[in-house]
Amino acid sequence: MITLQLLFLLAGMSKVGLETPLTQQATVAAGGSEIFRTAQRSQQAAAQDTTAEKMLVFQRAIGGWPKAVGTAKVDYTHPMSAAERASTLADKNRNDATIDNNATTREISYLAAAFQKTNNPAYREAAETGVRYLLKMQYANGGFPQFFPDFSGYRHQITYNDNAMVRVLQLLRNVATRSKQFAVLNPALAPQAQAAVDRGTECILKTQYVRNGRPTAWCAQYDENTLQPAKARAFELASLSGDESVEIVRFLMGIDKPSDAVKKSIESAISWFEKVKLTGYATKVVTAPGSKKVLDRLIVAEPGSTIWARFYELDTDRPIYVGRDSKVRYQLAEIENERRAGYLYAGTWPAKLLATEYPAWQKRVNTTNGEAKK
């Protein structure tokens, strides 16, 4: 005899099609009275966030997310057909999860916020799995590789490039302090996240490049075993970064009660930024008429302007410009047009840090119990 409960279950399953959110499909298909009631309660909420649903589809079995599948960038604004959904789920075991280009940190942040809005438990679970992936990929010395578990090429190196490691540490700091949307995650993750942040901070201090006994700034990549500067792509030689070093300093300034070692690291980096700035120069972007397509980038003389190079020689602080032939040149105009147009070799990255953020940090750390130190 078919019970009324079973009739309700069958009726619910009949309404589940390819366009039904993935979490609801899986829940209803599993059957069972409690599962069925849960699916009914979450039906409207789950349907409200199509982006979160796509993130569930792209999450790899190991817990992280890819930045691209083959040459196609992951685009959550792109509508997914049933065939695309099925093929993406079939790729669940690919080893292409990464922290490059905002991958994984972007999804964890979004899914935690989506849970706050929808109360859909699948979103919180996926975010927590993502956090555990980050904890799993961290080296014992505190560094983070660009990819995990794919260590081919330079993907195994500790990666500050494009602020990959710093974004992870900032997210884990929020998990540790249960800040913002991360307050909804499992409280057991907080102490684990704090331990990872502490290890990451120690790695940052150890990798700050020291020349003649003086700490300077940071490189974009480091060997994960020796903690020495390392080369990545052909045009990314081991060199000091006028870009990535900025976000590293910002992360260190975010420490509530900085140690003397952290203070020294920040102050040394600030001194380095002041030393290597290119005063009286600006960058100029050449675009096609009536288009935003970049045809070239130039460094031009401009009184009153200041820029910084993306790369500086390790032992001279001389700005370098490197094309796909991996040869060091000292003028941007000397490398190929494709790289000049397609890569940022100079910019104003430290400007705000020096003008407002560092002075504000100095004021904060030099203040005790609300009274300025004398």
Side-chain angles (χ1 to χ4, degrees):
M1 180 176 180
I2 299 177
T3 64
L4 181 60
Q5 180 185 18
L6 181 57
L7 286 173
F8 278 132
L9 176 60
L10 293 172
M13 291 179 66
S14 68
K15 295 179 181 179
V16 178
L18 291 175
E19 295 305 315
T20 306
L22 180 68
T23 51
Q24 185 184 339
Q25 292 181 41
T27 305
V28 174
S33 59
E34 179 58 31
I35 293 176
F36 177 68
R37 287 196 295 270
T38 300
Q40 291 299 298
R41 286 195 298 268
S42 66
Q43 179 179 5
Q44 183 176 3
Q48 288 177 345
D49 202 315
T50 57
T51 297
E53 290 294 322
K54 292 171 190 173
M55 288 179 174
L56 298 187
V57 175
F58 275 97
Q59 189 173 26
R60 299 314 193 198
I62 197 168
W65 280 264
K67 64 176 180 179
V69 180
T71 58
K73 293 182 180 180
V74 174
D75 180 6
Y76 294 116
T77 66
H78 172 71
M80 292 190 77
S81 66
E84 288 172 326
R85 188 178 291 252
S87 65
T88 303
L89 285 171
D91 275 344
K92 204 78 172 173
N93 290 318
R94 287 176 67 119
N95 67 342
D96 55 356
T98 181
I99 58 172
D100 192 30
N101 290 6
N102 295 307
T104 300
T105 50
R106 166 185 56 181
E107 285 84 358
I108 294 171
S109 298
Y110 189 96
L111 286 164
F115 172 75
Q116 283 186 316
K117 295 177 182 178
T118 67
N119 204 34
N120 187 326
Y123 301 160
R124 178 174 60 187
E125 181 180 352
E128 291 172 349
T129 300
V131 171
R132 293 187 184 96
Y133 165 79
L134 296 178
L135 296 174
K136 186 186 304 182
M137 78 184 299
Q138 187 181 31
Y139 291 127
N141 60 23
F144 284 82
Q146 188 184 62
F147 280 71
F148 180 78
D150 179 9
F151 284 166
S152 62
Y154 55 83
R155 293 178 172 185
H156 56 87
Q157 294 172 354
I158 293 174
T159 304
Y160 296 125
N161 190 40
D162 293 333
N163 305 314
M165 176 168 155
V166 169
R167 275 196 304 272
V168 171
L169 291 176
Q170 288 170 335
L171 184 146
L172 291 176
R173 175 185 281 164
N174 287 331
V175 173
T177 57
R178 299 182 59 74
S179 302
K180 304 176 182 178
Q181 69 264 43
F182 303 100
V184 305
L185 302 186
N186 189 334
L189 290 172
Q192 299 176 55
Q194 185 58 58
V197 171
D198 293 342
R199 288 192 297 271
T201 302
E202 283 303 308
C203 181
I204 287 174
L205 297 181
K206 289 177 181 178
T207 51
Q208 188 170 18
Y209 191 71
V210 178
R211 185 196 305 128
N212 298 325
R214 295 176 62 88
T216 59
W218 289 266
C219 306
Q221 292 88 204
Y222 288 83
D223 182 280
E224 69 275 18
N225 296 310
T226 66
L227 298 186
Q228 293 302 303
K231 173 186 175 182
R233 288 177 288 187
F235 49 91
E236 294 170 333
L237 304 185
S239 54
L240 295 175
S241 172
D243 181 0
E244 281 81 5
S245 296
V246 173
E247 288 304 317
I248 293 173
V249 171
R250 285 185 174 133
F251 170 77
L252 293 176
M253 291 196 309
I255 295 174
D256 186 39
K257 296 179 180 179
S259 64
D260 289 342
V262 168
K263 292 177 183 178
K264 179 181 177 181
S265 177
I266 293 170
E267 291 161 356
S268 297
I270 294 296
S271 296
W272 182 83
F273 285 129
E274 291 286 5
K275 176 185 176 184
V276 302
K277 63 185 178 182
L278 305 174
T279 304
Y281 292 93
T283 57
K284 179 181 178 181
V285 179
V286 180
T287 57
S291 170
K292 293 183 179 180
K293 181 180 179 181
V294 177
L295 299 180
D296 204 351
R297 286 189 173 89
L298 311 171
I299 293 178
V300 298
E302 186 172 298
S305 295
T306 300
I307 58 174
W308 286 261
R310 178 76 178 266
F311 305 120
Y312 291 86
E313 275 187 329
L314 291 174
D315 294 324
T316 68
D317 283 336
R318 191 175 179 183
I320 59 173
Y321 308 94
V322 184
R324 294 192 182 275
D325 60 3
S326 290
K327 294 182 179 179
V328 173
R329 294 177 173 85
Y330 298 103
Q331 298 294 327
L332 179 60
E334 294 177 354
I335 66 171
E336 66 268 29
N337 174 263
E338 181 270 336
R339 284 295 77 200
R340 294 199 308 269
Y343 199 77
L344 294 178
Y345 286 89
T348 58
W349 306 291
K352 183 179 178 182
L353 177 70
L354 297 176
T356 61
E357 294 170 345
Y358 176 64
W361 175 81
Q362 284 183 303
K363 183 177 180 181
R364 178 175 72 83
V365 299
N366 289 330
T367 301
T368 304
N369 298 325
E371 295 181 1
K373 289 182 179 181
K374 297 181 181 179

